[in-house]
Amino acid sequence: MTVFVIRRLMQSLLVLAATAVIVFVGVYAIGDPAEMLIAPDATPAERAQVEASLGLDKPLPVQFLAFLGNALKGDLGRSFVFNQPSISLILERLPATLELALVAILISLVIGIPLGLIAGLKPRSVVDETIMTGSILGFSLPNFWQGMMLVMIFSVWLGWLPSSGRGPTGQIFGIETSFASWEGIRHLILPATNLALFKLSLVIRLTRTGVRETMPLDFVRFARAKGLTERRVVLVHVLKTIMIPLVTVIGMEIGSLIAFGVVTETIFAWPGIGKLLIDSIMRLDRPVVVAYLLVVVSLFIVLNFAVDVLYSILDPRIRLGRN
């Protein structure tokens, strides 16, 4: 197990280093932030002074070496627009995005696993066809359109839920969260639901497929032969087996919810890192864009590492086969 963990850590560091190079070159080779920050009537001397203060007057390799040296110290540069460390901007907005992503994945699991079990236990029935048709809609409908429809129905027509913003927050166990007030929860429902719809469809299909593949296996027949109730067979033996692929997919989907919640955060004006990214791209705020990408990649790496370890615990054959 120790060798397995060390190998995964080394691979993660290599991925992070390669990503840093690709992201820096890709972001810093595009556009000129000075055009956004300097007034059109600025003199060449004023322009040169601003570029020098931002380090934009140096060759790209020199800028990268300076960035790399600062990154090793935990400094990912200062925002051109906000004039504060870019990593602090990301960390200020990250809790809101994590809250949104965790609620979305929770909705997907709480609703998706039971629906997938029902569909898998009753194949080719009316219930199965209805659930699977709904899952197809979840895959097919554009995320931005779903969000606008949710706002139109539940905010504009019915007036049940707020359409934008995070709402008031409070502290629970020292953590700033929307769950501290009912109004904060009301603001969270629509964006979390919109973010969860695609993942909900994925969980339903994965669970149904796992159930259909597991039910005919010998250990299920043996459990029934021992006289176990159908409920126990499904909830203990079948569900435990199908959780192995679900853990892998769900772990990575949490990362994708964090990384690709940009559309949802923009539609619902949710003050997370996705909205910050869009604003930074529009203003060519390069340090914030680079910091965002590196933080998101780091989250993916951590989640992938955690999933690998958990997978190896659930199925020791994975660990033994790769050592």
Side-chain angles (χ1 to χ4, degrees):
M1 186 67 180
T2 303
V3 175
F4 178 80
V5 171
I6 292 175
R7 182 177 299 168
R8 283 289 174 272
L9 285 173
M10 295 301 296
Q11 291 173 349
S12 299
L13 291 175
L14 288 175
V15 170
L16 185 60
T19 302
V21 175
I22 295 171
V23 166
F24 184 89
V25 173
V27 172
Y28 275 71
I30 298 174
D32 183 6
E35 296 291 340
M36 303 288 292
L37 301 173
I38 301 175
D41 56 349
T43 64
E46 292 173 337
R47 180 184 180 89
Q49 183 180 2
V50 171
E51 290 180 346
S53 66
L54 298 176
L56 299 175
D57 58 332
K58 300 175 183 177
L60 196 60
V62 176
Q63 293 184 47
F64 175 72
L65 290 176
F67 165 79
L68 189 60
N70 292 329
L72 294 175
K73 302 174 186 177
D75 179 9
L76 297 179
R78 296 185 68 85
S79 167
F80 296 160
V81 176
F82 297 97
N83 193 29
Q84 66 181 90
S86 56
I87 190 64
S88 68
L89 288 172
I90 300 295
L91 295 179
E92 285 175 8
R93 303 286 191 97
L94 187 58
T97 298
L98 290 176
E99 181 180 74
L100 188 62
L102 291 176
V103 173
I105 203 68
L106 184 62
I107 292 173
S108 303
L109 295 176
V110 170
I111 300 176
I113 291 178
L115 289 179
L117 283 173
I118 294 171
L121 294 172
K122 298 180 179 181
R124 293 179 293 278
S125 65
V126 175
V127 175
D128 178 36
E129 295 296 333
T130 302
I131 292 174
M132 296 313 292
T133 300
S135 70
I136 292 173
L137 289 176
F139 275 122
S140 305
L141 296 177
N143 190 255
F144 70 89
W145 185 85
Q146 290 174 172
M148 291 189 293
M149 290 300 102
L150 288 173
V151 170
M152 182 177 295
I153 294 171
F154 294 101
S155 296
V156 179
W157 291 352
L158 299 176
W160 291 353
L161 297 169
S163 61
S164 64
R166 192 181 182 190
T169 61
Q171 289 195 349
I172 298 179
F173 301 115
I175 301 174
E176 195 77 18
T177 174
S178 299
F179 289 104
S181 67
W182 170 241
E183 190 61 28
I185 295 174
R186 291 180 69 246
H187 279 79
L188 182 60
I189 292 174
L190 283 186
T193 301
N194 184 59
L195 197 58
L197 288 176
F198 180 85
K199 309 306 177 186
L200 173 61
S201 301
L202 180 62
V203 171
I204 290 174
R205 286 179 146 334
L206 285 173
T207 304
R208 181 187 183 277
T209 301
V211 171
R212 298 306 306 148
E213 291 177 349
T214 304
M215 291 301 289
L217 297 180
D218 291 339
F219 77 90
V220 176
R221 296 176 181 173
F222 180 71
R224 286 172 172 162
K226 289 196 303 182
L228 298 180
T229 63
E230 191 68 15
R231 179 186 180 89
R232 182 173 177 80
V233 170
V234 172
L235 296 182
V236 176
H237 297 277
V238 175
L239 189 58
K240 181 180 179 181
T241 302
I242 66 176
M243 282 305 295
I244 294 177
L246 273 176
V247 164
T248 303
V249 174
I250 291 167
M252 295 312 300
E253 289 306 313
I254 294 176
S256 69
L257 287 174
I258 296 171
F260 305 122
V262 176
V263 174
T264 295
E265 291 187 6
T266 302
I267 292 173
F268 294 94
W270 189 261
I273 59 175
K275 190 173 185 304
L276 176 64
L277 173 67
I278 295 298
D279 295 339
S280 299
I281 291 175
M282 296 297 293
R283 299 175 179 180
L284 289 180
D285 198 351
R286 289 171 171 176
V288 176
V289 176
V290 171
Y292 168 89
L293 293 173
L294 290 180
V295 168
V296 168
V297 169
S298 299
L299 286 173
F300 264 102
I301 290 173
V302 170
L303 288 170
N304 192 28
F305 176 76
V307 167
D308 278 344
V309 173
L310 185 57
Y311 201 123
S312 67
I313 293 173
L314 292 173
D315 189 353
R317 294 173 300 175
I318 302 299
R319 180 173 69 247
L320 295 174
R322 294 181 181 178
N323 282 343

